Amino acid sequence: MDQIKNYATAVLVLVATVLFAQEEKIYERDPGHLNESKFRQMYQEFATPNMYRSASGTPGPDYYQQQADYKMDIELDDKNARIYGEETITYHNNAPEALEFLWLQLDQNVRSRDSKSPLRNSSSLKVAYTTAAFSKTYLKEDFDGGFNIEFVKDSNGNPLPYTINQTMMRVDLPEALQSGEKVSFSVKWWYNIPDHTVDRARSGYEYFEKDGNRAYVIAQFFPRMAVYSDVEGWQNHQFWGSGEFALPFGNYDVNITVPADHILDATGELLNRKEVFSKEMIKRYEQAKKSYDKPVLIVTQEEAEAAEKGFSEKKKTWKFRAENVRDYGFATSRKFIWDMQAVKIGNKDVMAVSLYPKEGNPLWEELSTKAVASTLKSYSAHTFDYPYHKAISVHAKNQGMEYPMICWNYGRPNEDGTYSDRTKYGMISVIIHEVGHNFFPMIVNSDERQWGWMDEGLDTFMQYLAEQEFGEAFPEVITPNKKYPSRRGDPSKIVPYMSGDQTTIAPIMSNPENVYKLGPNAYAKPATALNILRETVMGRELFDHAFKTYAQRWMFKHPTPEDFFRTMEDASAVDLDWFWRSWFYTTDFVDIGVKGVKKFVVSDKPGKQMQEYMTSRNLTESDYPPLVYLAEQNTDEIDPTMVGKAPSEVSSSLKEFMMDNLTAEERARVKEPKYFYEVTFDKPGGIPMPLIVEYTYSDGSSEQVTYPPEIWRKNDAEFRRVIASQTEIVAITVDPRAETADIDVTNNSWPKKESPSEFNQFKEGIKGD
Ligand SMILES: [Zn+2]
């Protein structure tokens, strides 16, 4: 090797050694971390793509789903609060395999006297009880709930053998139901309807002592087919109470017989309006169909109050047909006031509907239907046009529960008609949420029994957007000049949960029965994660397109978590494995800070570190070509006249280099940074996030830089950046707009802010929720 080459190699080694010494040190601190890297692809966690479900997140070429059609005759016994029904189910087996038996869900059995549900949690004596709680717990006989199955018969009327295991019923078929075939069978049943205000049931009645009436909100009221799929086989995990429902799509023909003076609405199209409506009601209904700006009363409060006194002995049958729905619900009472208005969705008219007793007024006549209409518009814009012809909001005390086209919502004013802001916003929010559930999971039909977050998380995320849009559409309804006060969705709101006691936090990817706090776990955290994904990680344009793609790919189908995760990547070209892994599969939190800042200036002589290096190797300046030296301002002895000078003013070698190597034009445009900073950021939290940094300069200007989350891919603990700047940096702030749910902001600024007020704010934040 000739001398010149040797010389050049020596210089390269020297420069490389000096420059990379720091980084090597960092890597040594964190051996083996790449095996644990949040950025590795999720091959272990995700199900392998197959012909049913593609790697892109779309339904595969062999995707199938089962269909269950119902013909039902239902009768309500208002006096005894009982419900009777006979149903014929036609079950279509679209799976490639034959089925020897069918599983039906008997959700009401969670309230039967032999239910295991109340026995599965430990209990302990309290030192004091309210009289009501004491009476309910120790004095009263258990409610006699649960289905009484009278028969299960085949289409020829012959009994079919069946076995009930708690909330599941297996019906054994005389011969296996082959792929592509269907079977019809009938079930007859009845049960005692629970008082939902006492038992915290998802459906039941509320009794109004003053007028002796009940208002019924009825659901999970008939034996329903379980889902059979390529993912779970039969989804026959028991209904314990928290994990909700998994249901196949189908068509429903339902006749509901109730006292003649009841007002009733339900899932599906009303087929015999002329039989059940008065002439006046028909006239008002025709008006409502043309009223796009405000609801029209079909039944007034005056009429409802008159009906409350009737207690008719006569009966009336309401007939409905619903196509392509996964469930069925209805509400009925003499007490109901009824209003409706039309909403334009795409090129179609949808009816926004509300049913409420006078106890809901004046709040309900003012705001319920308005909230329904606004929700349909917001959700449709972000997903797909609402495909059903109506959406009903029913007022029921302390309820918040969803079914296709119909839902129950709380929000009751005081007896004198006054109400607090808390009641008002609570009511608007629950209506947005429950009407929103039409999209997730009623149409994008995820398995609620297994994954609470797939409907609750996506719906709560959409609820946040719809609430903000409601606030913009109806500024007169919200506190003047304020944003809609959303309870969930804003990043700062999830900090108390994510920074809380790790022993009571479960990953989002948990079954709803196995989490400690279902609210934050299945609602708030996934909603916040998606909000952060939209605003901070992907950006609105990429996120909105991908989210809409997911909704449209899976509308009227059964998606899994992987179908969602894969579609979000597929439609955006954003690698999100790190995001799903850390937000959905762990209980990690976000905490990123600025650890230290070193300041350098260009010097005409080697700094301390460089000198030490040269001494250790017996090198002198003549052993290598001219270098541009950087000296650390606080540790090196620097000629004070150099500080704040441009590099070419300090280093004559650089000046020469520029003269020899740059054109006059390039020299005119040359940057002349005077201050050099090496900023070390650290990440005490487990979740990698984009690093959002605001640099503030001595001239008062500031600049925001967002480093991609991939900065953490090789080193999960620290990240270092060099900033070369014309003006001095006076402050560095991480996550200046609090958009990442950073749990500890005391390490977010340089120079460190120790202002006690901020620290207290942080501490208060930890306690709240
Ligand atoms: Zn919900």
Side-chain angles (χ1 to χ4, degrees):
M1 223 179 272
D2 60 80
Q3 274 303 308
I4 294 173
K5 253 193 189 163
N6 264 343
Y7 178 75
T9 311
V11 170
L12 278 178
V13 169
L14 170 80
V15 173
T17 312
V18 173
L19 293 183
F20 295 119
Q22 293 295 334
E23 271 195 87
E24 269 171 21
K25 242 188 261 166
I26 295 168
Y27 293 151
E28 277 164 19
R29 287 182 46 236
D30 198 9
H33 74 273
L34 289 179
N35 300 331
E36 296 299 315
S37 166
K38 292 266 183 359
F39 289 85
R40 69 198 194 279
Q41 299 296 291
M42 296 187 73
Y43 295 122
Q44 285 98 329
E45 292 87 348
F46 282 3
T48 309
N50 54 42
M51 292 299 275
Y52 304 119
R53 285 162 206 274
S54 305
S56 63
T58 58
D62 289 350
Y63 175 82
Y64 73 87
Q65 63 192 24
Q66 307 292 65
Q67 185 180 331
D69 299 331
Y70 296 81
K71 282 187 198 306
M72 302 200 280
D73 288 302
I74 308 299
E75 184 159 350
L76 173 73
D77 174 356
D78 181 32
K79 268 195 200 121
N80 299 303
R82 259 186 208 167
I83 184 165
Y84 298 86
E86 190 174 338
E87 63 184 333
T88 299
I89 302 176
T90 302
Y91 188 71
H92 306 252
N93 181 18
N94 300 321
E97 59 270 31
L99 303 172
E100 309 116 280
F101 45 77
L102 309 176
W103 280 103
L104 279 77
Q105 313 185 58
L106 305 180
D107 315 87
Q108 286 299 327
N109 284 3
V110 82
R111 302 191 176 274
S112 67
R113 283 180 169 158
D114 61 357
S115 171
K116 297 283 183 213
S117 184
L119 303 180
R120 73 190 167 134
N121 294 326
S122 63
S123 62
S124 45
L125 274 175
K126 293 176 192 148
V127 291
Y129 291 79
T130 63
T131 44
F134 186 83
S135 154
K136 183 183 180 311
T137 314
Y138 297 112
L139 303 185
K140 277 195 184 160
E141 207 179 311
D142 286 343
F143 176 70
D144 187 14
F147 278 113
N148 301 280
I149 301 292
E150 298 209 333
F151 66 66
V152 181
K153 285 179 181 171
D154 70 13
S155 54
N156 297 320
N158 301 316
L160 281 172
Y162 63 89
T163 301
I164 295 173
N165 172 10
Q166 297 189 63
T167 61
M168 290 285 163
M169 175 166 78
R170 191 189 70 233
V171 174
D172 296 324
L173 301 172
E175 47 193 85
L177 180 63
Q178 297 301 318
S179 175
E181 291 188 352
K182 62 184 177 186
V183 62
S184 289
F185 61 100
S186 307
V187 187
K188 191 169 183 215
W189 51 264
W190 67 271
Y191 70 87
N192 290 317
I193 301 171
D195 178 340
H196 70 73
T197 65
V198 173
D199 288 342
R200 310 216 81 211
R202 283 180 166 78
S203 79
Y205 65 79
E206 176 184 358
Y207 181 67
F208 293 83
E209 229 170 63
K210 281 188 182 160
D211 52 68
N213 278 286
R214 293 188 174 99
Y216 296 88
V217 285
I218 300 294
Q220 294 99 32
F221 65 97
F222 57 102
R224 305 182 293 175
M225 290 304 307
V227 167
Y228 184 86
S229 73
D230 60 292
V231 181
E232 299 282 350
W234 282 107
Q235 174 49 291
N236 54 8
H237 190 96
Q238 295 289 338
F239 177 52
W240 288 100
S242 293
E244 293 188 302
F245 311 105
L247 299 152
F249 287 108
N251 303 322
Y252 286 67
D253 288 292
V254 186
N255 302 325
I256 310 168
T257 302
V258 295
D261 49 3
H262 268 215
I263 290 299
L264 182 151
D265 210 344
T267 306
E269 210 148 345
L270 178 59
L271 302 177
N272 63 335
R273 193 175 305 276
K274 284 196 178 135
E275 286 169 42
V276 292
F277 271 39
S278 67
K279 280 205 176 108
E280 185 59 33
M281 285 165 72
I282 296 264
K283 215 173 84 192
R284 294 169 184 170
Y285 174 67
E286 291 303 325
Q287 282 168 6
K289 285 206 288 189
K290 287 178 220 120
S291 177
Y292 294 91
D293 57 342
K294 59 174 191 297
V296 172
L297 283 160
I298 310 298
V299 175
T300 66
Q301 177 159 341
E302 212 180 11
E303 288 159 352
E305 284 184 37
E308 279 179 359
K309 303 182 181 96
F311 299 99
S312 171
E313 295 286 332
K314 288 189 193 137
K315 294 174 185 176
K316 212 181 226 179
T317 300
W318 299 62
K319 297 176 179 171
F320 293 90
R321 176 165 173 83
E323 284 176 8
N324 219 3
V325 290
R326 61 162 245 174
D327 201 1
Y328 201 91
F330 68 92
T332 183
S333 180
R334 284 178 197 95
K335 291 178 66 67
F336 283 147
I337 303 161
W338 204 359
D339 74 42
M340 301 179 191
Q341 74 166 74
V343 199
K344 242 317 161 234
I345 301 291
N347 50 15
K348 226 180 64 190
D349 280 352
V350 175
M351 296 304 280
V353 183
S354 298
L355 278 174
Y356 42 94
K358 64 175 189 289
E359 285 75 5
N361 269 342
L363 196 51
W364 275 69
E365 64 185 13
E366 283 165 15
L367 288 173
S368 174
T369 298
K370 203 174 249 183
V372 175
S374 173
T375 305
L376 294 175
K377 284 184 200 162
S378 286
Y379 277 66
S380 294
H382 288 279
T383 57
F384 44 77
D385 285 351
Y386 182 68
Y388 298 132
H389 73 290
K390 69 178 174 190
I392 311 160
S393 161
V394 184
H395 176 45
K397 193 180 183 182
N398 298 335
Q399 284 283 351
M401 198 53 213
E402 70 278 10
Y403 305 95
M405 304 179 214
I406 191 166
C407 54
W408 332 141
N409 300 302
Y410 56 77
R412 184 163 298 177
N414 304 317
E415 275 195 39
D416 63 2
T418 59
Y419 52 84
S420 62
D421 269 3
R422 189 192 155 96
T423 302
K424 178 178 77 175
Y425 291 124
M427 173 234 187
I428 299 170
S429 287
V430 72
I431 292 175
I432 292 174
H433 182 94
E434 306 306 341
V435 171
H437 268 310
N438 274 296
F439 294 80
F440 310 98
M442 295 305 149
I443 295 167
V444 179
N445 188 351
S446 58
D447 180 347
E448 298 176 272
R449 186 63 48 88
Q450 179 54 38
W451 302 119
W453 71 268
M454 280 199 79
D455 68 308
E456 298 302 352
L458 269 58
D459 185 38
T460 304
F461 160 70
M462 275 301 311
Q463 177 194 342
Y464 175 76
L465 300 187
E467 283 170 352
Q468 297 305 314
E469 288 165 12
F470 180 92
E472 286 156 25
F474 302 105
E476 71 279 8
V477 173
I478 58 172
T479 312
N481 307 318
K482 286 268 173 70
K483 277 172 58 148
Y484 187 95
S486 292
R487 192 162 71 95
R488 288 163 167 161
D490 187 82
S492 64
K493 299 246 164 83
I494 200 65
V495 166
Y497 174 65
M498 290 178 74
S499 60
D501 178 359
Q502 278 285 324
T503 62
T504 62
I505 306 178
I508 293 174
M509 284 294 288
S510 301
N511 184 286
E513 299 295 346
N514 304 340
V515 304
Y516 301 93
K517 295 168 187 154
L518 195 58
N521 178 279
Y523 296 66
K525 188 181 163 190
T528 310
L530 293 177
N531 200 24
I532 291 174
L533 189 59
R534 179 175 190 252
E535 297 290 348
T536 303
V537 178
M538 296 174 76
R540 289 185 184 184
E541 194 184 340
L542 288 174
F543 179 96
D544 288 352
H545 173 74
F547 191 79
K548 195 179 247 191
T549 302
Y550 165 72
Q552 295 186 356
R553 280 178 176 179
W554 292 95
M555 70 184 292
F556 294 118
K557 294 193 172 70
H558 299 281
T560 64
E562 288 97 327
D563 297 323
F564 174 69
F565 296 144
R566 286 177 166 142
T567 294
M568 292 303 287
E569 285 197 350
D570 185 55
S572 69
V574 182
D575 178 17
L576 294 171
D577 292 54
W578 64 272
F579 188 87
W580 309 134
R581 173 175 281 113
S582 35
W583 279 91
F584 286 73
Y585 287 77
T586 77
T587 59
D588 288 347
F589 50 78
V590 177
D591 184 14
I592 299 176
V594 50
K595 191 182 173 192
V597 178
K598 285 182 178 175
K599 185 174 172 188
F600 296 81
V601 292
V602 171
S603 168
D604 61 350
K605 59 179 201 315
K608 205 170 134 203
Q609 224 190 331
M610 186 69 189
Q611 278 168 11
E612 278 167 12
Y613 179 83
M614 285 158 60
T615 313
S616 72
R617 301 271 168 120
N618 267 332
L619 293 166
T620 64
E621 284 190 51
S622 56
D623 291 329
Y624 46 82
L627 297 175
V628 180
Y629 297 111
L630 286 165
E632 191 179 347
Q633 209 174 338
N634 294 329
T635 55
D636 286 321
E637 283 165 25
I638 295 168
D639 177 355
T641 61
M642 303 288 181
V643 177
K645 287 253 172 75
S648 60
E649 288 177 78
V650 179
S651 165
S652 50
S653 70
L654 179 64
K655 197 172 196 168
E656 273 169 35
F657 178 87
M658 283 163 60
M659 292 305 286
D660 293 348
N661 293 282
L662 306 188
T663 65
E665 209 176 292
E666 283 170 330
R667 280 201 303 277
R669 285 204 311 266
V670 90
K671 292 192 279 183
E672 289 276 33
K674 293 168 185 165
Y675 302 93
F676 297 82
Y677 299 89
E678 196 181 73
V679 187
T680 304
F681 301 95
D682 63 345
K683 187 169 83 59
I687 300 185
M689 286 296 280
L691 171 63
I692 307 162
V693 187
E694 187 174 74
Y695 298 101
T696 308
Y697 297 96
S698 57
D699 63 1
S701 67
S702 68
E703 159 187 42
Q704 187 174 299
V705 181
T706 300
Y707 304 94
E710 284 76 9
I711 59 173
W712 308 111
R713 74 199 184 283
K714 290 195 278 186
N715 183 327
D716 195 42
E718 280 192 7
F719 174 67
R720 199 165 286 175
R721 280 302 286 191
V722 168
I723 312 293
S725 143
Q726 194 82 29
T727 19
E728 261 183 296
I729 293 179
V730 294
I732 298 174
T733 312
V734 169
D735 192 12
R737 290 193 311 274
E739 53 188 296
T740 65
D742 191 321
I743 68 151
D744 178 4
V745 294
T746 59
N747 59 354
N748 283 29
S749 17
W750 175 88
K752 212 172 168 63
K753 277 188 211 149
E754 300 270 21
S755 105
S757 63
E758 259 185 58
F759 184 66
N760 284 342
Q761 267 174 15
F762 165 69
K763 269 190 3 197
E764 276 162 29
I766 294 278
K767 267 184 247 153
D769 196 52

